[in-house]
Amino acid sequence: MLLKEIEIEVYGAEQICASCVNLPSSKDTCEWLEAALKRKFPEQSFKISYVDMYNPPEKLKQKTFAAKMIEEDLFYPLVLIEDEIIAEGNVRLKKVVETLERYGYKGQL
């Protein structure tokens, strides 16, 4: 069975969220999440990217969502999978894994 490559976006900023003291930075969270998911789903492809909410790329979708994060004062890092908010602030690997499994990904035992 061929799976669609899932797109995971981690939104955040260089400065750590004031409500998230003692947690890793958004960029560190993205790198940690990528490494953990590659171990959990070694032969299944996904795309993960970090988006700086104060300096988003030119893609309209990312610029729009970054502006929404600022306007609505959302916690970061924020994990978006296929345009669905999965985690905000303190990212839990279990929640991300469960979401990927809903899309048909099979984890290593």
Side-chain angles (χ1 to χ4, degrees):
M1 176 174 125
L2 210 51
L3 293 176
K4 172 187 176 220
E5 184 177 64
I6 296 298
E7 183 176 3
I8 304 167
E9 293 174 309
V10 179
Y11 284 79
E14 284 188 33
Q15 181 180 1
I16 293 176
C17 174
S19 300
C20 305
V21 176
N22 297 325
L23 293 177
S25 72
S26 299
K27 196 172 245 180
D28 289 343
T29 298
C30 184
E31 291 169 0
W32 160 76
L33 196 55
E34 181 175 24
L37 293 174
K38 282 183 177 179
R39 282 192 307 275
K40 182 74 175 171
F41 305 107
E43 301 195 13
Q44 297 160 79
S45 171
F46 58 86
K47 193 183 326 178
I48 188 165
S49 58
Y50 169 74
V51 178
D52 185 321
M53 61 193 243
Y54 295 111
N55 191 19
E58 290 302 312
K59 286 175 71 177
L60 180 61
K61 181 186 109 174
Q62 292 172 329
K63 282 182 95 99
T64 302
F65 192 80
K68 176 183 175 177
M69 282 190 68
I70 294 167
E71 287 169 19
E72 296 181 12
D73 204 20
L74 298 175
F75 293 114
Y76 54 91
L78 182 141
V79 178
L80 206 61
I81 297 180
E82 294 296 303
D83 300 325
E84 176 187 356
I85 296 174
I86 303 304
E88 191 182 346
N90 189 6
V91 177
R92 300 287 181 186
L93 182 60
K94 182 178 180 180
K95 178 77 171 155
V96 175
V97 166
E98 288 171 353
T99 302
L100 289 175
E101 288 173 341
R102 277 195 337 233
Y103 284 96
Y105 282 64
K106 303 283 185 222
Q108 286 286 99
L109 299 177

